[in-house]
């Protein structure tokens, strides 16, 4: 059997740690739960832990959050599509936006429902994904501030998501300047700069991030502990929230170098680091997870002496060394995962996902521990624009 095990204790530890950093920075934050792909038991555990603000890029997953915790603040992190405006208004408290036409559509749907919809306007800072160009800010906001069912919470940005732009202080100072410009021009307070992500945490820990950046959208650091800028793990965070368990279906001593004619005829062109000489032999294990299930190059065997040799759609081959090390058919081999490998396997209908301890046991344990106060941004009512004509 192939399954992913989610360690709820490790998850709580990382939540506690990141929340401590946010409190130290005077910032609020939203937990980005995209990687969970709507996994119900983990969402229930997060809600029980005290998480009250969650961000998602799939409406189906927002629907799962709403069914479990209807009072939770939800951020829709994908720029809304016009075809999904009705669902967006139903499911999202806050959306990230870049298109005038889309915001007008949100306003009309919110008006039809008798609601106020909150938005963050995303600004392009060099990562070349979503965001309006800074030179368009004045004209853009001039239109948006006139909409009577849209509440503009502030501005935001993404860095490190597409082009790999490394966040730096100068970029965030630009955002602060843009906010000051807009507030002076329109006499309208923009309380939030939502530009903190997992990639920004090294700046937070070094005390370099300006305090005006006061809202973070954090996922990968909580779920994997990753330091996206420097590599490795961020201080105090754990990397054992997720474990992939794959069953060994064959283990044999074989040649590690093919002595027959080979060609690039396989569908999966992955390069693996190990090189072998003709005649070299060793033990190889087949495990029942392949490229159909996940990005195999993103699997990291827990045993540092094991190395993935390659994979087809349904199996991966792991070099385990000069001896089988006590492994046999039916045993489980464990792997850590990169973000890309994790998100693909969590979306895979063929792989089971379990939590440990069980949700019932976890909730019982929580009775003796305080909640983690990941509070919704909209609790700061004194800083939010009053609904109504802008």
């Amino acid at each position: 059997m192939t399954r992913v095990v989610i360690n709820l204790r490790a998850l709580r530890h990382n939540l506690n740690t990141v929340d401590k950093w946010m409190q130290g920075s005077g910032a609020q934050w939203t937990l980005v739960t995209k990687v969970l792909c709507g996994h119900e038991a983990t969402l229930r555990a997060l809600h029980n832990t005290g998480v009250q603000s969650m961000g998602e890029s799939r409406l189906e997953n927002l629907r799962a959050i709403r069914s479990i915790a209807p009072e939770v603040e939800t951020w829709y992190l994908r720029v809304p599509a016009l075809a999904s405006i009705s669902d967006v208004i139903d499911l999202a408290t806050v959306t990230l936006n870049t298109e005038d036409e889309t915001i007008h559509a949100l306003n009309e749907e919110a008006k039809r429902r008798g609601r106020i919809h909150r938005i963050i306007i995303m600004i392009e800072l060099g990562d070349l994904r979503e965001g309006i160009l800074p030179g368009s800010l004045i004209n853009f906001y001039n239109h948006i501030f006139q909409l009577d069912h849209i509440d503009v919470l502030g501005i935001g940005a993404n860095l490190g998501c597409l082009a790999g732009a490394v966040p730096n202080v100068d970029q965030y100072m630009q955002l602060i300047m843009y906010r000051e410009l807009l507030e002076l021009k329109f006499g309208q307070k923009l309380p939030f700069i939502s530009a903190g992500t997992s990639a920004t945490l090294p700046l937070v820990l070094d005390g370099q991030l300006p305090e005006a950046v006061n809202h973070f959208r954090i996922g990968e650091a909580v779920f994997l502990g990753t330091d996206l800028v420097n590599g490795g793990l961020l201080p105090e965070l754990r990397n054992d929230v997720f474990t992939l368990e794959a069953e060994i279906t064959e283990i044999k001593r074989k040649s590690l170098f093919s002595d027959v004619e080979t060609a690039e005829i396989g569908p999966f062109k992955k390069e693996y680091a190990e090189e072998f000489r003709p005649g070299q032999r060793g033990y190889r294990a087949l495990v029942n997870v392949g490229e159909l299930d996940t990005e195999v190059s993103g699997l990291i065997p827990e045993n540092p002496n094991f190395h993935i040799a390659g994979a087809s759609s349904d199996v991966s081959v792991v070099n385990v060394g000069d001896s089988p090390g006590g492994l046999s058919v039916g045993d489980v081999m464990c792997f850590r995962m990169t973000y890309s490998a994790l998100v693909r396997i969590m979306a895979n209908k063929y792989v089971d996902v379990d939590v440990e301890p069980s949700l019932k046991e976890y909730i019982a344990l929580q009775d003796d521990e305080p909640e983690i106060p990941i509070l919704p941004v909209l609790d700061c009512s004194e800083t939010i624009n009053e609904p109504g004509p802008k």
Side-chain angles (χ1 to χ4, degrees):
M1 182 179 74
T2 306
R3 69 169 186 155
V4 173
V5 178
I6 302 176
N7 182 337
L8 296 181
R9 291 189 181 91
L11 178 55
R12 183 184 175 90
H13 169 86
N14 284 358
L15 282 167
N16 265 314
T17 301
V18 172
D19 192 63
K20 178 183 67 177
W21 296 342
M22 294 297 99
Q23 290 188 46
S25 298
Q28 293 171 277
W29 67 295
T30 294
L31 177 65
V32 178
T33 58
K34 291 189 292 185
V35 75
L36 297 178
C37 297
H39 187 250
E40 181 178 330
T42 310
L43 290 174
R44 288 190 184 279
L46 290 171
H47 183 228
N48 181 264
T49 301
V51 178
Q52 288 294 311
S53 183
M54 299 187 194
E56 265 293 348
S57 62
R58 304 286 172 171
L59 292 170
E60 296 87 345
N61 298 340
L62 284 180
R63 190 169 284 111
I65 293 170
R66 285 289 191 207
S67 68
I68 291 166
E71 79 284 3
V72 163
E73 177 184 278
T74 51
W75 286 56
Y76 185 48
L77 304 178
R78 175 186 271 183
V79 175
L82 288 175
S84 63
I85 292 297
S86 179
D87 286 336
V88 170
I89 293 294
D90 269 342
L91 300 170
T93 314
V94 184
T95 54
L96 311 182
N97 286 271
T98 62
E99 289 290 345
D100 183 86
E101 182 180 2
T102 303
I103 298 172
H104 276 77
L106 290 167
N107 181 69
E108 289 303 309
E109 185 65 20
K111 182 177 181 179
R112 191 175 72 82
R113 307 286 189 88
R115 300 181 184 179
I116 299 296
H117 185 70
R118 277 83 181 185
I119 66 171
I120 294 285
I121 304 298
M122 301 297 283
I123 299 174
E124 170 58 53
L125 288 184
D127 201 52
L128 306 180
R129 205 177 75 167
E130 77 270 37
I132 65 174
L133 297 176
S136 306
L137 273 175
I138 298 297
N139 287 337
F140 191 88
Y141 268 86
N142 190 44
H143 292 117
I144 301 309
F145 276 139
Q146 307 306 314
L147 302 177
D148 55 2
H149 286 262
I150 293 294
D151 186 18
V152 184
L153 294 181
I155 60 176
N158 264 320
L159 291 167
C161 293
L162 182 65
V166 177
N168 64 62
V169 174
D170 289 343
Q171 291 161 324
Y172 295 115
M173 294 305 295
Q174 288 179 45
L175 278 182
I176 295 167
M177 180 187 68
Y178 297 148
R179 181 174 72 172
E180 291 175 351
L181 173 65
L182 291 168
E183 289 183 336
L184 287 171
K185 173 69 176 177
F186 297 104
Q188 183 77 51
K189 189 169 180 59
L190 297 171
F192 292 103
I193 296 179
S194 177
T197 65
S198 292
T200 317
L201 290 175
L203 292 177
V204 173
L205 295 177
D206 289 342
Q208 297 183 51
L209 195 70
E211 291 183 4
V213 179
N214 58 357
H215 180 257
F216 288 69
R217 308 179 307 272
I218 298 177
E220 184 167 350
V222 169
F223 292 113
L224 292 176
T226 314
D227 184 337
L228 294 172
V229 175
N230 304 303
L233 297 180
L234 287 164
E236 302 179 56
L237 295 186
R238 294 173 59 167
N239 71 343
D240 60 341
V241 175
F242 291 88
T243 301
L244 172 63
E245 297 180 349
E247 185 176 333
I248 296 173
T249 58
E250 174 188 304
I251 185 163
K252 287 181 169 59
R253 189 168 184 267
K254 296 184 177 183
S255 173
L256 303 179
F257 186 93
S258 180
D259 56 3
V260 300
E261 182 180 359
T262 61
E264 294 291 335
I265 58 176
F268 305 106
K269 305 296 191 296
K270 299 291 185 183
E271 295 293 331
Y272 297 89
E274 284 191 301
E275 294 184 3
F276 301 100
R277 62 184 181 277
Q280 189 172 353
R281 297 175 67 82
Y283 280 86
R284 282 190 158 185
L286 267 63
V287 293
N288 60 347
V289 62
E291 295 285 358
L292 181 63
D293 304 299
T294 188
E295 184 178 288
V296 173
S297 62
L299 300 184
I300 305 141
E302 279 193 354
N303 187 325
N305 297 316
F306 296 172
H307 303 280
I308 295 176
S312 61
S313 58
D314 303 304
V315 300
S316 297
V317 178
V318 183
N319 292 327
V320 300
D322 295 330
S323 75
L327 294 173
S328 60
V329 170
D331 287 344
V332 166
M333 190 175 291
C334 295
F335 300 85
R336 299 279 178 251
M337 292 167 279
T338 63
Y339 187 87
S340 57
L342 175 58
V343 75
R344 277 189 56 190
I345 207 158
M346 288 295 292
N348 185 344
K349 66 180 181 180
Y350 302 111
V351 175
D352 292 332
V353 180
D354 297 318
V355 295
E356 292 185 357
S358 70
L359 183 58
K360 183 177 180 180
E361 292 170 329
Y362 180 76
I363 291 174
L365 289 171
Q366 296 304 95
D367 292 340
D368 298 324
E369 298 186 37
E371 286 189 347
I372 299 171
I374 303 176
L375 299 175
V377 167
L378 299 185
D379 271 4
C380 292
S381 55
E382 72 276 9
T383 63
I384 298 299
N385 301 332
E386 289 296 325
K390 304 286 193 282

